């Protein structure tokens, strides 16, 4: 327990009843949980198998297990450390018979369930399908079955009918979806006292991380597993509750005090992450929210640099300023790219920053949304490029052969797959293999060979002709634009086709600039699409949504697009729900360790229009007027120092001169 502060020690040792640990951002909550696991095993003599710790992400569970292993060694492997859903899956595997499932039941992922809903709602547009799917998920998280729903409108009435059919389909498939992994264990624990007692006898102490993010279903599971003994440690922070849109209920924290009168509350307020200036700004913003529990973060990390707030002309100017500032700062401090993060409210805001980072050859990774290179239309096109570069790439073959649809369906691919498997060759090679006529019917083989010959022709041209021309002809030959507009809503199709044109234009320009043909470029694209597979130690700038950044920390943070309508989001303003948006701002500020830069735009492009924007109210709320925040740029807050363009140009010139010397 060396190095722990008094509240942390108290939280670890407390075992006299239910405990709520209010852990502020950067206050060492993961250490408290893992040290408590070690305390339970080492000092209290509790068997590791009787200790259970639950968190929300696989990454958090993995980190918790690694830390526990350092403290208790091999015994950590016996501790039940998992996500809520992994625990639910384990429960259902063990109790499958009691719940009417076969032991080998299937767990459907998001793409599987989306396909089911699209099949059930063939005539509905994609937006309605998605809304119905989301509504059913929220009902399950609220422990409401099809017969318990009280529809509030026509959409919910339709969703209720689909819900009943969806449940019948899952039962026929002997399958469960992601939400069932929590809902079904709760239902069984409530209905079968024998099962409930068996599980309570296995779990002597339960630790729950990120308790503010629990929904009604997860909260109920925790209580059923601990029973009347209520031997649990819940760790959470009401100021970081940002997942109401997916069913999380911050009221679960308030309800704990009402349901457990003996509940002990311990506050962790010392922050080990950020400088005093950053914490002052965070405290200043969050104090505008009504408080469930009053707490104030403090740090002994020193005063730190002033927070910079930059007023930019537009979103293009913002991306240029952020990337230039980031590059100059890295050069001056001799730091690493991984020390920097660019955080934003919505996925759409990443595009401009990706373009600027690519233009300056700055490595980056993107989380909390799709990279431009991970969009379905870009992956469709890169599947063709991957196949041109490597005809043994089976996943690329399957995607290219079936997108757009050309008469190659599941039955055809299954027959081809069997034939390729017996011969130990790739799917593409199997098309032209001797004797393939015995395995694949003539009409199916004709379509496959037509596709194979097309790829061979494109490959021949790709080695000899300009990349841009070959790409344009490929898209025309497969009819990709027409297929998009036939299969999607016009607005969606237009957006995706615009992405394809941007991508092909980028490749064509790259081919001319680097004197590379399409085959050589295809190998470059294959490397780009591997970005998501890089490990966490990759030296790259992190681009992330504020939701995805929760739980992470960076030495230097750029919080961008901090405007009315973006943060707080327009829909939250209209609904009068500013509190969760303010918590998002608080999460963004508290990701920073040493420096924080905030930017907003006076004008921003929305679709085809240029709209006027105003600085977010949160910028004013974080400014205590004591010089901790410096305003720069056009339209800067008058009380702050103005942006000196001459000084900025001189700084950039000095930076370029230094680069030449190195």
């Amino acid at each position: 327990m060396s190095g722990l502060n008094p509240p942390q020690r108290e939280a670890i040792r407390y075992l006299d009843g239910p405990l709520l640990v209010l852990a502020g951002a950067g206050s060492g909550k993961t250490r408290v949980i893992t040290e408590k696991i070690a305390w339970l095993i080492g000092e209290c003599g509790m068997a590791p198998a009787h200790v259970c710790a639950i968190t929300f992400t696989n990454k958090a569970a993995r980190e918790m297990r690694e830390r526990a292993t350092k403290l208790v060694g091999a015994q950590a492997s016996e501790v039940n450390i998992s996500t809520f859903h992994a625990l639910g899956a384990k429960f259902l595997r063990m109790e499958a018979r009691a719940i009417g499932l076969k032991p080998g039941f299937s767990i459907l992922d998001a793409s599987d369930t989306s396909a089911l809903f699209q099949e059930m709602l063939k005539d509905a547009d994609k937006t309605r399908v998605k809304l119905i799917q989301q509504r059913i998920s929220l009902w399950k998280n609220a422990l409401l079955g099809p017969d318990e729903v009280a529809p509030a409108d026509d959409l919910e009435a339709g969703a209720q009918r689909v819900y009943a059919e969806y449940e019948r389909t899952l039962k026929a498939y002997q399958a469960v979806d992601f939400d069932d992994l929590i809902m079904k264990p709760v239902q069984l624990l409530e209905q079968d006292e024998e099962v409930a007692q068996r599980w309570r006898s296995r779990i002597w102490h339960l630790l729950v991380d990120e308790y503010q993010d629990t929904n009604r279903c997860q909260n109920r599971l925790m209580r059923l597993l601990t029973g009347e003994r209520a031997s649990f440690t819940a760790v959470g922070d009401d100021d970081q509750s940002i997942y109401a849109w997916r069913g999380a209920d911050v009221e679960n924290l308030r309800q704990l005090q009402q349901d457990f009168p003996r509940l002990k509350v311990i506050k962790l307020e010392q922050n080990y992450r950020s400088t005093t200036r950053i914490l002052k700004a965070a405290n200043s913003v969050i104090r505008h929210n009504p408080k469930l529990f009053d707490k104030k973060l403090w740090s002994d990390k020193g005063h730190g640099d002033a927070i910079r707030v930059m007023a930019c002309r537009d979103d293009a100017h913002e991306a240029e300023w952020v990337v230039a500032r980031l590059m100059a700062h890295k050069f001056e401090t001799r730091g690493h790219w991984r020390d920097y993060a660019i955080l934003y409210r919505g996925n759409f805001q990443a595009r401009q920053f990706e373009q600027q980072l690519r233009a300056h050859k700055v490595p980056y990774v993107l989380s909390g949304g799709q990279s431009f290179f991970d969009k379905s239309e870009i992956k469709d096109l890169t599947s063709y490029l991957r196949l041109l570069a490597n005809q043994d790439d089976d996943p690329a073959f399957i995607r290219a052969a079936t997108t757009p649809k050309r008469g190659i369906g599941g039955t055809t691919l299954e027959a081809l797959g069997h034939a390729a498997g017996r011969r130990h060759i790739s799917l593409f090679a199997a098309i032209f293999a001797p004797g393939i006529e015995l395995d694949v019917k003539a009409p199916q083989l004709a379509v496959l060979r037509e596709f194979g010959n097309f790829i061979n022709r494109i490959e021949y041209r790709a080695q000899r002709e300009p990349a841009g021309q070959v790409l344009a002809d490929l898209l025309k030959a497969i009819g990709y634009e027409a297929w998009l507009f036939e299969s999607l809503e016009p607005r969606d199709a237009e957006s995706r086709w615009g992405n394809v044109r941007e991508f092909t234009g980028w490749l064509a320009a790259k081919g001319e600039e680097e004197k590379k043909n399409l085959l050589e470029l295809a190998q470059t694209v294959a490397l780009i699409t591997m970005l998501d597979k890089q490990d966490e130690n990759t030296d790259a700038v992190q681009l992330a949504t504020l939701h995805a950044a929760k739980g992470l920390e960076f030495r230097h943070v750029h919080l961008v697009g901090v405007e009315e309508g973006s943060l707080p989001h327009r829909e939250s303003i209209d609904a009068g729900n500013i509190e969760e948006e303010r918590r998002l701002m608080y999460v963004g500020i508290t990701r920073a360790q040493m420096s924080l830069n905030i930017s907003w735009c006076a004008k921003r492009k929305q679709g085809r229009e240029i709209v006027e924007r105003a600085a977010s109210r949160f910028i004013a709320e974080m400014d205590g007027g004591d010089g901790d925040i410096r305003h720069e740029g056009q339209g800067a807050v008058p009380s702050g120092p103005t942006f000196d363009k001459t000084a900025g140009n001189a700084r950039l010139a000095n930076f370029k001169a230094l680069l030449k010397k190195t």
Side-chain angles (χ1 to χ4, degrees), residues 2-41:
S2 61
L4 292 170
N5 62 43
Q8 289 175 327
R9 289 174 187 241
E10 186 183 9
I12 290 164
R13 290 173 172 162
Y14 187 80
L15 290 174
D16 295 335
L19 171 66
L20 171 60
V21 180
L22 283 170
S27 63
K29 68 179 178 63
T30 305
R31 185 176 179 192
V32 166
I33 292 172
T34 51
E35 291 273 6
K36 187 152 192 173
I37 291 171
W39 175 263
L40 290 167
I41 295 169

Side-chain angles (χ1 to χ4, degrees), residues 206-223:
L206 180 66
L207 301 104
V208 183
D209 192 15
E210 305 285 10
Y211 192 78
Q212 78 282 348
D213 292 336
T214 55
N215 57 41
R216 182 180 173 185
C217 202
Q218 290 159 338
N219 186 47
R220 187 71 186 140
L221 178 63
M222 185 205 83
R223 298 182 189 203

Side-chain angles (χ1 to χ4, degrees), residues 282-461:
N283 287 329
S284 183
V285 167
I286 206 64
R287 74 163 185 251
H288 289 80
N289 270 4
K291 307 290 283 182
L292 283 180
F293 303 94
D294 190 40
K295 66 179 185 307
K296 188 174 183 180
L297 295 180
W298 63 275
S299 167
D300 59 7
K301 292 282 186 183
H303 212 47
D305 295 339
I307 296 168
R308 300 176 67 167
V309 176
M310 178 66 176
C312 300
R313 292 189 302 275
D314 52 33
D315 41 354
H317 176 221
E318 180 182 40
E320 290 169 10
W321 181 81
V322 167
V323 174
R325 165 74 187 154
L326 186 154
M327 291 172 65
H329 190 271
K330 177 189 178 289
F331 185 83
E332 289 168 2
T333 60
R334 297 292 192 269
H336 302 281
W337 294 120
R338 61 175 173 269
D339 295 336
Y340 298 85
I342 301 173
L343 308 180
Y344 36 79
R345 175 64 176 83
N347 294 324
F348 69 93
Q349 292 169 281
R351 172 73 63 82
Q352 292 274 8
F353 298 98
E354 282 198 82
Q355 289 176 341
Q356 279 294 320
L357 291 166
R358 287 202 303 268
H360 291 284
K361 295 182 171 56
V362 174
Y364 69 91
V365 291
L366 189 143
S367 62
Q370 285 184 309
S371 163
F372 180 71
F373 293 97
D374 203 34
K375 293 181 182 294
S376 62
E377 60 273 20
I378 304 303
K379 291 180 83 170
D380 288 343
L381 190 47
T382 56
S383 68
Y384 282 89
L385 299 180
R386 284 168 51 196
L387 194 56
L388 292 176
N390 176 17
Q391 294 185 345
D392 290 333
D393 188 335
D394 281 352
F397 172 86
I398 292 169
R399 186 164 190 139
T402 56
T403 313
K405 298 190 184 333
R406 52 170 57 80
I408 300 175
T411 307
T412 301
L413 287 173
E414 187 177 357
L416 184 65
H418 286 312
R422 280 196 297 274
R423 291 168 172 79
H424 303 291
I425 57 177
S426 68
L427 294 173
F428 189 91
I431 294 174
F432 302 103
I436 191 70
E437 298 85 356
L438 301 174
D439 297 293
V440 183
K441 293 177 182 177
Q444 296 173 320
L445 187 57
V447 180
L448 285 167
R449 284 189 168 162
E450 182 183 346
F451 174 71
N453 289 325
F454 167 69
I455 293 296
N456 284 332
R457 289 195 302 273
I458 292 291
E459 184 194 358
Y460 179 84
R461 290 184 58 194

Side-chain angles (χ1 to χ4, degrees), residues 40 43 47 52 100 107 163 169 179 202 223 226 285 295 382 414 421 497 500 523 553 584 613 622:
L40 290 167
E43 298 297 323
C52 182
I107 299 173
Y163 189 3
T169 304
D179 299 317
R202 288 183 182 137
R223 298 182 189 203
T226 56
V285 167
K295 66 179 185 307
T382 56
E414 187 177 357
W497 180 241
V500 170
Q523 291 157 353
E553 57 186 61
L584 262 181
R613 304 303 293 262
M622 65 188 274

Side-chain angles (χ1 to χ4, degrees), residues 45-99:
M46 200 174 286
H50 289 315
V51 180
C52 182
I54 309 177
T55 186
F56 274 83
T57 66
N58 290 320
K59 179 185 173 186
R62 190 167 59 247
E63 181 187 351
M64 204 175 285
R65 186 172 295 282
E66 287 169 358
R67 290 201 193 185
T69 301
K70 289 178 182 177
L71 293 172
V72 299
Q75 290 184 96
S77 63
E78 299 174 49
V79 180
N80 295 299
I81 301 176
S82 70
T83 63
F84 269 103
H85 292 92
L87 178 66
K90 180 180 179 180
F91 180 101
L92 290 183
R93 293 288 180 208
M94 295 177 72
E95 307 292 348
R97 188 185 300 277
I99 214 146

Side-chain angles (χ1 to χ4, degrees), residues 485-497:
F485 280 89
E486 285 168 11
S487 56
L488 299 171
E489 296 290 320
R491 196 170 178 178
D492 191 13
E494 191 174 317
S495 171
R496 294 193 187 198
W497 180 241

Side-chain angles (χ1 to χ4, degrees), residues 25 106 137 145 214 257 320 324 359 432 456 520 531 555 581 586 625:
S106 300
S137 177
T214 55
Q257 285 187 309
E320 290 169 10
F432 302 103
N456 284 332
E520 292 165 328
L531 276 174
R555 292 171 73 85
E581 295 293 302
Y586 175 83

